[in-house]
Amino acid sequence: MNRTTAPVEEALPDERLAIAVQRGLISPETAQAIASIEVDGDGAPGGSRLTPLVAEAVGFVGAALALVAAVLLVSQFWADLRPWARVALPLVAAIALLAAGAWLRAREVGAVARLASFLWLLSVASFAFAVSLVGEDILDLHSERTALLAGGVSTVYAGALWFVRRRALQQIAVFVALLVTMASGLDLVDPQLTDYAGLLLWAVGIAWLLLAWGEVVQPRTTAFALGGIAAVIGPLMTTFAMRQGGLALGLVTAISLVVVSVTLRRTVLLWLGVVAMFIYIPQIVFEFFGETLGAPLALFITGVVLVGVALGVARLHTSIPPGPGTAEGER
Amino acid sequence: MSATETPVRTDEPEEAADRRTVIAITGAVAIVLVVALGIIVFGYVPLPDYPRLDDDPDPAIPGMIVYVEASNEQSCLVTISAGGGAATEMACERDGGYFDQNLAWTADGLVVTMQYGRQGREIVAYDPQTGREVERIVVDEPPSNRPPRIVEPNLTRPEERMTRADGARLEIAHRPEGETAVRLRDAEGQRRDLLAAEGPRNYEFVSAQWSPDGEWVLVADSRGRLIVVDAGGETPRLLVERNGRDWWTTSAAWFIPGEETYTVDLADYRD
């Protein structure tokens, strides 16, 4: 392939690259370099892009089947095991998964890297299960203390793995473990406080968004997505305890996400904000105006508002300029 | 999600980036702390508090109460003097067995429960003093042409123990503003609150029954506590309070020696 003489628009397999060159966003040389990667597949000469993907998919399905089989096998004699043996099984699994992930870590590319990341995620899950068994079967702790112990220790473990490998799955493990820890902490203070666990979820989501904005957590796109999802779901959970307050918080969060998505040039936040609007606006219309307007009119207003939101979002989406978010492959 | 994302810093000066990091961390910690603290301070609603009979037993309250106390591991029949004192574990079912909601006394002071055995439903009588099983009668399904004779105080036949001999009837009321109440409706239809309380969300009184002499009322709340209140509704006191997280009380029955009201006869089940 002649990378210097062929017209860029003809040589490129992807029209988007050509458009990027035409708009002066990237140089023809950069476009050619990208195109060569696209054609060769991760730079592997003559390789097909489809083959590693299929192999990876088959690998994950195989791993899932093996995992299910192992769980089924163990469950047959689980009740007969001594407590220490119950703890040992997931603990050994966690260590084995950690070791396998570490061994694969040397090959930090493509499917192998994702598999290593996945193995470490499983290691955290297995470790959390082992710790919960320690709490329940050996220390004889109450359920909420067991959850706090498992969540807390797993947060530290997941955090350590995330420190070593800044991957999306490692971040998800930390985030989930942290949420479990905080929710069980509320439960420990008083069970009735778990009514407001959604509010705490919202706060953690906002905090995570802040940390993503401050580039404290990596990968940032994952952090924006996790934080945004938590911030959207949290108020919905809160509606069980405080209906109107939860709905109002949800709507404010939705609007804020849309506004922030433009400021930060993050499409993922825009879409989360839109989803949140579709969740909260109908409920708010019916909650506050359902009785006075009647169901048909409330439904009509909901429809009109959502159409307005959709049009507004379409405009916003095209107006979000390329920025750091796009550089991370977000758009 | 991209697995190979790398942070992309624009031409932002390093000092500004550092400031942004500090603001992000401070803001994140602050918002979580403020919300968590707000939940603990404003989200906590205490349970209604009453004087405790185990601290200060009242011998004026007559008789004995049996109740089912259950946890994830076991289900136990427990007796306690209605005037307060130490509770006595009478019999326990473990490994999946449990005592049914059906709970009653015989006129001669045996505790009667309905359990599910190998042959179907069984009426089992216990001596409350020793916890010894006195009799077990297989009843399978009760005859369809007559109502079950075992009183089901909390679920299917609460009306028997909620109605006194003079027609005065107990009612449970749940009010929209979150108040729960036990009301007394006398024979003339006049209603008054016997016991009313506000508590955490979902807190409510779940059952109420007369003592056999009609002078007292035993109330169970949704936290598994048993409260004794006199018929005038003036002195509610806490009879049983276990850790509502791990233990809960499912049903109760009151016995006063010499009183046959609300008792059952084992002879009705022998044939």
Side-chain angles (χ1 to χ4, degrees):
Chain A
M1 183 185 298
N2 188 334
R3 293 181 180 177
T4 52
T5 55
V8 169
E9 290 79 357
E10 290 174 14
L12 293 177
D14 192 330
E15 286 183 9
R16 287 173 299 181
L17 284 178
I19 294 169
V21 173
Q22 283 174 347
R23 291 184 181 179
L25 297 175
I26 55 175
S27 67
E29 289 75 19
T30 306
Q32 286 290 2
I34 295 170
S36 68
I37 294 170
E38 293 281 321
V39 170
D40 295 345
D42 276 350
S48 163
R49 294 177 68 192
L50 188 62
T51 308
L53 285 177
V54 171
E56 184 181 2
V58 170
F60 276 104
V61 170
L65 285 176
L67 198 66
V68 170
V71 169
L72 289 176
L73 194 66
V74 170
S75 65
Q76 290 180 356
F77 54 87
W78 183 257
D80 302 325
L81 291 176
R82 293 181 185 280
W84 64 263
R86 290 188 190 185
V87 172
L89 274 174
L91 196 60
V92 167
I95 293 169
L97 289 163
L98 174 69
W103 182 67
L104 290 174
R105 193 177 156 237
R107 305 178 63 184
E108 285 281 355
V109 289
V112 176
R114 282 192 289 276
L115 179 61
S117 191
F118 181 65
L119 291 178
W120 276 17
L121 177 71
L122 290 182
S123 177
V124 172
S126 198
F127 182 72
F129 184 47
V131 175
S132 69
L133 290 173
V134 169
E136 195 173 305
D137 290 351
I138 295 178
L139 301 177
D140 203 21
L141 298 178
H142 293 161
S143 56
E144 77 285 356
R145 291 175 194 272
T146 299
L148 184 64
L149 177 72
V153 175
S154 302
T155 303
V156 174
Y157 179 52
L161 295 188
W162 184 34
F163 183 77
V164 174
R165 187 194 296 266
R166 299 293 177 100
R167 300 279 183 177
L169 291 180
Q170 272 58 68
Q171 186 186 146
I172 291 170
V174 173
F175 190 75
V176 172
L178 186 65
L179 287 178
V180 170
T181 307
M182 301 195 77
S184 49
L186 271 190
D187 190 27
L188 188 66
V189 175
D190 193 280
Q192 62 174 293
L193 296 182
T194 53
D195 286 352
Y196 302 96
L199 210 53
L200 194 61
L201 176 64
W202 173 83
V204 173
I206 298 295
W208 213 254
L209 288 174
L210 273 170
L211 293 175
W213 167 73
E215 299 186 14
V216 179
V217 291
Q218 302 287 348
R220 291 179 72 202
T221 304
T222 307
F224 278 121
L226 280 178
I229 290 170
V232 168
I233 293 175
L236 196 63
M237 289 169 62
T238 309
T239 56
F240 294 110
M242 32 188 256
R243 173 110 186 119
Q244 295 186 349
L247 291 177
L249 182 64
L251 184 63
V252 170
T253 304
I255 294 168
S256 304
L257 284 176
V258 171
V259 172
V260 169
S261 74
V262 178
T263 312
L264 297 183
R265 293 177 287 185
R266 292 281 168 179
T267 315
V268 67
L269 295 183
L270 175 67
W271 287 118
L272 283 170
V274 171
V275 168
M277 284 187 180
F278 275 77
I279 291 173
Y280 290 106
I281 287 175
Q283 294 190 68
I284 284 175
V285 170
F286 277 91
E287 177 70 23
F288 291 97
F289 309 109
E291 286 186 7
T292 52
L293 299 177
L297 191 55
L299 196 62
F300 175 74
I301 291 175
T302 303
V304 170
V305 171
L306 290 182
V307 168
V309 168
L311 291 173
V313 166
R315 281 181 64 97
L316 270 178
H317 187 241
T318 52
S319 71
I320 292 179
T326 54
E328 288 185 44
E330 192 186 327
R331 288 187 71 181
Chain B
M1 276 166 258
S2 170
T4 54
E5 292 173 70
T6 49
V8 175
R9 302 294 290 258
T10 57
D11 52 355
E12 186 180 33
E14 194 172 329
E15 191 180 322
D18 289 345
R19 196 182 319 123
R20 186 162 66 145
T21 302
V22 170
I23 291 171
I25 293 173
T26 309
V29 171
I31 193 164
V32 172
L33 281 181
V34 166
V35 170
L37 204 63
I39 291 172
I40 291 171
V41 171
F42 299 108
Y44 179 75
V45 181
L47 288 172
D49 194 21
Y50 306 106
R52 303 171 67 96
L53 280 168
D54 58 353
D55 290 341
D56 185 18
D58 183 354
I61 306 175
M64 181 80 77
I65 287 168
V66 64
Y67 59 94
V68 175
E69 197 171 70
S71 71
N72 286 328
E73 285 80 32
Q74 60 182 8
S75 169
C76 293
L77 287 177
V78 181
T79 56
I80 189 170
S81 170
T88 305
E89 214 169 73
M90 203 176 75
C92 286
E93 288 279 336
R94 294 185 177 84
D95 300 325
Y98 64 95
F99 289 103
D100 194 71
Q101 296 284 326
N102 298 281
L103 199 57
W105 291 84
T106 63
D108 55 353
L110 294 178
V111 172
V112 182
T113 70
M114 186 174 286
Q115 293 170 229
Y116 291 86
R118 290 178 187 168
Q119 301 178 65
R121 298 214 295 180
E122 299 170 342
I123 300 287
V124 187
Y126 293 93
D127 178 351
Q129 305 302 321
T130 63
R132 188 174 58 86
E133 183 181 314
V134 176
E135 188 171 357
R136 183 175 288 257
I137 307 165
V138 177
V139 293
D140 199 16
E141 294 297 321
S144 57
N145 58 351
R146 65 175 188 184
R149 293 295 301 275
I150 291 281
V151 176
E152 298 174 351
N154 294 335
L155 295 176
T156 53
R157 294 177 61 81
E159 67 277 6
E160 288 194 25
R161 287 182 192 178
M162 293 180 81
T163 308
R164 201 165 56 179
D166 64 355
R169 185 173 163 71
L170 300 171
E171 297 173 338
I172 305 286
H174 307 302
R175 295 175 178 139
E177 59 272 25
E179 192 179 64
T180 180
V182 175
R183 291 190 304 189
L184 177 62
R185 191 182 69 179
D186 61 24
E188 286 76 42
Q190 300 290 319
R191 286 190 175 91
R192 66 179 170 88
D193 280 0
L194 200 61
L195 184 64
E198 285 184 43
R201 194 171 70 93
N202 296 335
Y203 175 82
E204 57 190 23
F205 297 133
V206 293
S207 74
Q209 58 180 292
W210 288 105
S211 64
D213 63 0
E215 297 292 324
W216 305 88
V217 174
L218 181 66
V219 179
D221 70 12
S222 54
R223 294 301 175 97
R225 306 188 306 173
L226 295 180
I227 302 151
V228 176
V229 58
D230 67 272
E234 291 173 1
T235 53
R237 279 167 290 181
L238 204 55
L239 178 66
V240 173
E241 182 181 43
R242 288 293 298 262
N243 179 350
R245 186 193 296 273
D246 303 307
W247 289 88
W248 54 94
T249 308
T250 59
S251 58
W254 196 324
F255 174 69
I256 297 177
E259 294 276 355
E260 294 195 3
T261 316
Y262 312 131
T263 59
V264 296
D265 189 349
L266 287 175
D268 290 341
Y269 299 95
R270 289 194 180 112
D271 297 326

